[in-house]
Amino acid sequence: MHLADIHFGAADPRILDAAARYIKQIAPHAVVVSGDLTQSGKRREFDAARHWLRGLGLPCACTPGNHDTPMFQLHHRVLNPFGRYEKYLSEFSFPLRMGNIRIDGLNTARGWQARRNWAEGSVDLEDLDGILQRDAAEDIRLLSCHHPFIPPTDTPLQTATRR
C-alpha cells in the first residue's frame, strides 16, 4: 500500500483509525509512505506517526517530505532539517524487499532552499546514483519520493522538482 501526506498533527483521528482498519483488512505485504508524515515537524507529530505505523503490524518504509522538517524552528530547519525525522522514523527506512520486488527511498525534500516555494523538491544526484548503482537481485525495482518528477498538469499549484 502506498500512502503520502498523512500530516500527523493536522489529520483527523477518525480518518487515521479508519485507514488503519482498512489497511489491516486488505492485508498488504507492506506500506510505503512518501513523505509529509507530519504537519509541522514537531516531536509529538513524529511520535504519533511512529506509533501509528508500528500499530499497523506490517513492514513499513518512509521517505520524508517538506512538512517533515521543523517548520517553526528555522535554525533546525537549516542546520539539521531531518534530525527529528531520523530520530523518530529511522526504523522505517529503505530498502524494502518483498520477494522479487525492491523499493528504495529518495529524499527530494529540503529543509531550506533559495526558492520562493519551499514545497518544491530537489533530487540529490549523488543519492540517486547511489540507489541506481546498488546491486539488486530483485527483478522489479521501485523508487519512492515525496515530490513528483513530472507534475500533474491539472493541479492548481504547479511545482517543479529540480534535477
Side-chain angles (χ1 to χ4, degrees):
M1 173 161 286
H2 177 245
L3 305 171
D5 296 277
I6 301 172
H7 291 278
F8 281 89
D12 184 328
R14 296 170 298 174
I15 293 173
L16 293 170
D17 291 343
R21 285 193 309 273
Y22 180 71
I23 292 167
K24 289 176 183 178
Q25 176 187 346
I26 66 168
H29 294 285
V31 174
V32 173
V33 185
S34 296
D36 283 359
L37 285 96
T38 69
Q39 177 64 24
S40 305
K42 294 180 179 177
R43 289 175 188 87
R44 64 180 166 80
E45 295 169 354
F46 281 115
D47 191 49
R50 179 175 57 193
H51 179 77
W52 190 81
L53 290 168
R54 284 178 177 169
L56 296 176
L58 294 165
C60 297
C62 306
T63 52
N66 48 292
H67 278 259
D68 297 323
T69 61
M71 187 174 290
F72 301 111
Q73 293 181 316
L74 292 180
H75 61 288
H76 286 297
R77 189 176 179 104
V78 172
L79 300 174
N80 191 18
F82 300 103
R84 288 183 189 164
Y85 178 91
E86 291 164 3
K87 177 181 177 184
Y88 287 90
L89 300 178
S90 63
E91 69 191 83
F92 306 109
S93 61
F94 288 96
L96 186 61
R97 293 181 168 98
M98 298 168 295
N100 69 334
I101 300 171
R102 176 190 172 116
I103 306 172
D104 285 291
L106 177 67
N107 183 359
T108 58
R110 298 293 171 257
W112 181 88
Q113 51 186 328
R115 294 166 87 176
R116 212 172 86 179
N117 184 354
W118 283 17
E120 294 185 316
S122 183
V123 173
D124 182 312
L125 295 178
E126 287 183 23
D127 290 348
L128 180 58
D129 283 343
I131 290 169
L132 295 175
Q133 291 176 5
R134 288 184 194 137
D135 288 334
E138 297 83 4
D139 297 323
I140 300 169
R141 295 186 68 185
L142 302 172
L143 181 66
S144 170
C145 59
H146 182 60
H147 298 91
F149 292 139
I150 300 171
T153 57
D154 58 349
T155 58
L157 175 63
Q158 289 294 304
T159 60
T161 301
R162 289 183 175 171
R163 294 185 219 84

